[in-house]
Amino acid sequence: MSFVIGVVLFALGIAISIALHEAGHLLTAKAFGMRVRRYFIGFGPTIFSFRRGETEYGLKAIPAGGFCDIAGMTALDEVAPEERPRAFFRKPTWQRVVVLSAGSAMHFLIGMLLIFVLAVTAGLPNAGDLAVAGQVSCAANQDPVTGKLQPCGPGVPTPAADAGVQAGDRILSVAGTPVATWPDAVAAIQAAAGPTQIVVQRDGREVPLTVDVAPVQRVDARTGQVRTVGAIGLAQQLVFAYGPMAAVPATVDYTGVMFSNVWTGLGMFPEKIPRLIDAIGGGVRDENSPVSVVGASIIGGDAAERGLWSLFVLLLAMLNFFVGVFNLLPLLPLDGGHIAVNLYERVRDWTRARLGKATMPPVDYTRLLPLTYAVILVGGAISLLTLTADIVNPIRPFE
């Protein structure tokens, strides 16, 4: 039951994001005095609608998007004489770009709000893999059969605790070697033996500590062989909690990490298509595979079923960042394509004015239709592939 609730809640979150995307266009267009004819969520047959002022608001049967109909959005749009003074194309370029960008801006605001709420409630993941101390325990051997660390007890050394290492300390250097990430710190500690100086950052100041690194047995993940390495009995802090004030810069930083992940994912997208086709035929579907709204909702449902609400919120935030960035790509019919056309017109007219030439009419969108149809065809094919894979071979990361 909790899985179904999770899927419904995630789908509802997507629907709200779509509504707010279109609301971004609506509110900015009205703020600049543009004529907004219709604001609808969904496509297809109208379920209900009502008119307030000059704008018709409503809900359609297919919840796969939405639209905000602004008079004069393109040169193809028929504009009534009474609409012409307030048509989109009559407004300054900067106002048009703001209106076109407002949908993506709403996605970014939603994502940042979700991250902020998560920061002040459950905390944010250690996205940078920082070398920050979590639980201070013991330097135990690893069971070569089960792979688990043996329990702490009498006679098991506790080097980190004995040296005064505290949860929240950030390790800056080990034996004089600077470390930036947790893997760096682990590698340096495993290579050390006996009394070793470790410098940590605590409450904004550097604190030097001498830790008696203990020899322990560990199973090499690559070879499966047992080897002796150094250990101090310290786990990494995986989640950081913040107060309302500290959560603001933390939200900005984490947003930067998520944007970086989105750009990386978009750059790697073409090479994922063959694996997506293979997954439809029963191949392995990994967690880096593209997902549709259906696939994302399934993952959200799995997270909710296991009580992983932090992951649920992060997935919804990431989806908003992805949609926001994707929508700004300079391709028609995306908002980014319309922005590119409007900026082109502005640069073109500015250049012609400097050369003493007359201003040209708006770009003829009919000449861009072949490219637009190609984008729609490719995008539709990829969407169909992804949706099919999510139905026949969904990603279930917790199974």
Side-chain angles (χ1 to χ4, degrees), residues 269 273 326 371-385:
F269 193 84
I273 301 301
F326 183 81
L371 178 60
T372 303
Y373 291 147
V375 172
I376 293 174
L377 180 63
V378 173
I382 293 175
S383 298
L384 184 60
L385 277 175

Side-chain angles (χ1 to χ4, degrees), residues 44 84 88-89 110 113 119 131 133 143 165 173 187 189 199 204 218 227 251 257 271 273 282 346 363 370 375:
R84 191 170 184 81
F88 179 86
F89 65 81
I110 293 168
L113 178 61
D143 189 317
V165 179
S173 67
I189 292 170
V199 179
R218 289 286 190 271
R227 60 193 182 101
T251 297
V257 171
E271 66 186 61
I273 301 301
R346 182 70 184 92
V363 168
V375 172

Side-chain angles (χ1 to χ4, degrees), residues 72-89:
M73 277 285 290
T74 71
L76 298 177
D77 190 9
E78 294 185 8
V79 181
E82 65 273 13
E83 295 176 328
R84 191 170 184 81
R86 297 170 54 204
F88 179 86
F89 65 81

Side-chain angles (χ1 to χ4, degrees), residues 25-374:
H25 295 313
L26 172 77
L27 295 174
T28 50
K30 284 184 172 291
F32 292 136
M34 299 177 186
R35 174 72 179 268
V36 181
R37 298 164 175 156
R38 295 180 296 164
Y39 170 84
F40 272 79
I41 302 303
F43 297 103
T46 299
I47 297 177
F48 77 88
S49 70
F50 63 92
R51 179 169 294 276
R52 179 168 295 175
E54 63 188 14
T55 306
E56 181 185 9
Y57 301 84
L59 179 68
K60 290 184 175 289
I62 305 174
F67 63 91
C68 179
D69 180 14
I70 304 172
M73 277 285 290
T74 71
L76 298 177
D77 190 9
E78 294 185 8
V79 181
E82 65 273 13
E83 295 176 328
R84 191 170 184 81
R86 297 170 54 204
F88 179 86
F89 65 81
R90 297 290 295 271
K91 299 296 180 178
T93 302
W94 72 268
Q95 292 186 2
R96 285 180 267 160
V97 170
V98 168
V99 172
L100 291 168
S101 304
S104 287
M106 289 299 290
H107 285 297
F108 300 150
L109 288 175
I110 293 168
M112 294 185 71
L113 178 61
L114 290 172
I115 292 174
F116 177 83
V117 171
L118 191 61
V120 297
T121 53
L124 295 177
N126 187 349
D129 213 5
L130 302 177
V132 178
Q135 181 182 7
V136 182
S137 183
C138 65
N141 292 318
Q142 185 178 16
D143 189 317
V145 177
T146 64
K148 297 181 179 180
L149 294 179
Q150 296 174 348
C152 298
V156 181
T158 55
D162 295 341
V165 179
Q166 300 177 10
D169 287 348
R170 180 171 181 176
I171 303 175
L172 302 179
S173 67
V174 177
T177 301
V179 296
T181 66
W182 183 255
D184 293 339
V186 170
I189 292 170
Q190 288 186 342
T196 303
Q197 186 178 67
I198 293 180
V199 179
V200 302
Q201 185 179 61
R202 182 185 300 164
D203 299 327
R205 58 190 179 88
E206 294 186 5
V207 180
L209 302 170
T210 300
V211 183
D212 189 8
V213 179
V216 297
Q217 302 298 306
R218 289 286 190 271
V219 179
D220 191 303
R222 292 173 298 178
T223 66
Q225 300 296 314
V226 177
R227 60 193 182 101
T228 300
V229 298
I232 62 175
L234 193 63
Q236 182 186 22
Q237 183 169 338
L238 300 177
V239 177
F240 298 110
Y242 301 92
M245 296 300 294
V248 175
T251 297
V252 174
D253 290 343
Y254 200 81
T255 296
V257 171
M258 298 197 87
F259 268 118
S260 176
N261 292 338
V262 167
W263 281 114
T264 300
L266 284 173
M268 297 175 60
F269 193 84
E271 66 186 61
K272 296 178 181 180
I273 301 301
R275 286 183 286 172
L276 191 62
I277 297 174
D278 182 59
I280 294 175
V284 177
R285 188 102 186 269
D286 60 40
E287 297 177 17
N288 294 319
S289 175
V291 295
S292 66
V293 171
V294 172
S297 298
I298 291 173
I299 298 173
D302 282 338
E305 186 175 33
R306 288 159 177 78
L308 302 175
W309 291 104
S310 294
L311 177 59
F312 181 96
V313 173
L314 283 177
L315 285 171
L316 195 55
M318 176 61 84
L319 182 63
N320 273 281
F321 286 130
F322 178 83
V323 173
V325 171
F326 183 81
N327 194 55
L328 290 178
L329 294 178
L331 298 170
L332 290 171
L334 302 175
D335 288 338
H338 291 286
I339 292 173
V341 169
N342 279 273
L343 291 178
Y344 163 75
E345 289 179 345
R346 182 70 184 92
V347 172
R348 179 201 63 187
D349 292 344
W350 180 87
T351 302
R352 292 181 64 85
R354 293 297 180 274
L355 296 176
K357 297 182 178 180
T359 300
M360 294 183 66
V363 168
D364 184 359
Y365 272 76
T366 58
R367 305 176 96 180
L368 298 176
L369 285 178
L371 178 60
T372 303
Y373 291 147

